Amino acid sequence: SINFKKGSSAVLRPIHAIPRERGRLLRALALFLLLLLLPFVPGMAAARPSFVLILADDMDAAALRWMPQTRELIAGNGLTFQRHYAQVALCAPSRASYLTGRYAQNTGVLTVDNSNGGFRQWRRNGNEQRNLAVSLHVVGYRTALVGKYQNGFPDNLAQTYIPPGWDYWAVAMQRGDTPYQQFNYKLNVNGKLVSYGTSAAAYGTDVYAGKAVEFIRQSASAKKDFFLLLSLFAPHSPSVPAPRHAKLFPDAQVPRTPSFAEADVTDKPAFLRYPKLSTAAIATLDRNYGQRLRSLQAVDEAVRKVHDALKAAGRLNDTYII
């Protein structure tokens, strides 16, 4: 069993799954969250905690080394799950499972494209009617999604469309890779389209952090329990950093784990028996990894902004940060 205290938090770290444990752990995590989300004793709804789930896109656990504020404010003061399994290690299926507690074969979101996954299959399979936001909204929580929803959103629907269950909605239009570029993107902000340009103030991660802070302040002012999903695009490729971070980590390298550029791969499945990485290929990997770390610095700062907003609003001690 896991005993959480108010004000505690967690870092979820993905590792390779043992197949027979996947279902048990996913069910346990879903049940754990459900127990937290419901009043513990009838008539004691005032004791309900609030929740902030900060989700990075395509981040590796090793990158936490370069995120000191996240380690201090979340990991240092909370609990780290050493085992966290992804049934389908892609963004759209994983997001569907996070929001529903269900396997990919049950959400119907199997890939990132609309033909077999993404927003189209998420909606087609009824997931918009049964998820955390809908359930929490029904029992009186104020809910918000800021940043990324599902790949391909809003598909062929109006760009001002807001799914059921969400009280605050500041979500990027996913037309190609535009929002991943962090500039020149468009948001649906509570039913109004807002375009962002190329100025430093328009940098995506910073804008999403600002919207999250706004929602926290509004919820605290209204004395409402809340659920906030701050869903960021970093460090997904092309891993564009904020201008202020563009020159950091000039010597960054991909973690040199025992499997990196392994010389003898004869014991591996055929699809993993690639030729040994060339010097040029390794250099490209290192450059890309540096970009990823640079793009994560704004995420690290966003964690601080959310933490400080909760503290200023007097809600830090009754909010779980995941």
Side-chain angles (χ1 to χ4, degrees):
S1 64
I2 302 174
N3 181 24
F4 265 57
K5 296 179 180 179
K6 286 186 178 181
S8 64
S9 50
V11 173
L12 304 183
R13 298 184 180 183
I15 61 174
H16 291 296
I18 299 173
R20 66 182 180 181
E21 292 185 355
R22 286 176 178 167
R24 182 171 61 207
L25 188 62
L26 186 60
R27 288 192 297 272
L29 180 59
L31 177 60
F32 169 62
L33 290 173
L34 179 62
L35 290 174
L36 286 175
L37 295 173
L38 297 177
F40 299 111
V41 179
M44 292 185 64
R48 299 187 308 188
S50 293
F51 298 88
V52 174
L53 173 58
I54 302 174
L55 186 61
D57 195 351
D58 198 27
M59 176 181 163
D60 59 308
L64 280 168
R65 175 187 174 190
W66 307 100
M67 301 174 69
Q69 298 184 88
T70 301
R71 288 187 286 108
E72 173 194 350
L73 299 174
I74 299 184
N77 292 315
L79 180 149
T80 296
F81 289 104
Q82 296 294 346
R83 295 182 177 183
H84 177 239
Y85 304 118
Q87 183 208 9
V88 180
L90 290 171
C91 52
S94 295
R95 289 164 189 275
S97 291
Y98 266 119
L99 283 171
T100 63
R102 305 170 76 213
Y103 285 120
Q105 67 264 27
N106 295 324
T107 65
V109 182
L110 303 178
T111 65
V112 298
D113 64 274
N114 278 326
S115 63
N116 201 29
F119 173 68
R120 185 177 301 173
Q121 299 306 324
W122 163 261
R123 187 167 186 266
R124 178 175 293 173
N125 286 280
N127 297 296
E128 289 200 319
Q129 308 303 322
R130 50 176 187 268
N131 57 62
L132 273 176
V134 172
S135 298
L136 291 173
H137 179 82
V138 167
V139 297
Y141 274 77
R142 193 163 184 259
T143 60
L145 199 158
V146 177
K148 181 177 179 179
Y149 183 36
Q150 277 287 17
N151 297 67
F153 175 81
D155 194 24
N156 55 3
L157 300 179
Q159 294 187 57
T160 54
Y161 169 73
I162 300 175
W166 298 100
D167 298 299
Y168 184 100
W169 185 258
V171 171
M173 301 294 101
Q174 285 209 230
R175 306 298 191 191
D177 69 346
T178 299
Y180 296 95
Q181 300 283 349
Q182 299 285 356
F183 294 102
N184 287 319
Y185 56 92
K186 186 185 298 182
L187 298 185
N188 172 357
V189 181
N190 297 318
K192 180 181 178 180
L193 293 180
V194 181
S195 296
Y196 292 82
T198 60
S199 69
Y203 183 72
T205 299
D206 293 343
V207 170
Y208 305 137
K211 298 295 184 185
V213 168
E214 178 181 73
F215 171 77
I216 290 169
R217 290 172 177 168
Q218 290 177 355
S219 301
S221 178
K223 301 186 185 307
K224 296 281 288 184
D225 302 320
F226 57 88
F227 168 70
L228 164 63
L229 173 53
L230 175 55
S231 180
L232 303 170
F233 285 87
H236 193 291
S237 62
S239 309
V240 178
R244 62 186 178 277
H245 300 139
K247 296 183 179 181
L248 296 178
F249 315 122
D251 301 318
Q253 290 185 327
V254 172
R256 297 313 200 249
T257 61
S259 63
F260 184 82
E262 188 177 1
D264 183 3
V265 293
T266 57
D267 60 334
K268 302 298 186 294
F271 74 94
L272 286 178
R273 295 177 190 171
Y274 294 112
K276 187 175 180 179
L277 290 171
S278 67
T279 300
I282 292 175
T284 298
L285 290 174
D286 287 339
R287 283 195 300 272
N288 292 342
Y289 197 70
Q291 282 291 93
R292 290 171 58 81
L293 296 182
R294 287 185 279 275
S295 73
L296 281 168
Q297 298 314 293
V299 176
D300 198 39
E301 294 170 355
V303 171
R304 167 69 71 178
K305 292 173 184 175
V306 167
H307 173 276
D308 290 354
L310 291 168
K311 185 176 181 179
R315 299 301 299 268
L316 185 62
N317 289 333
D318 65 355
T319 299
Y320 292 92
I321 306 173
I322 304 171

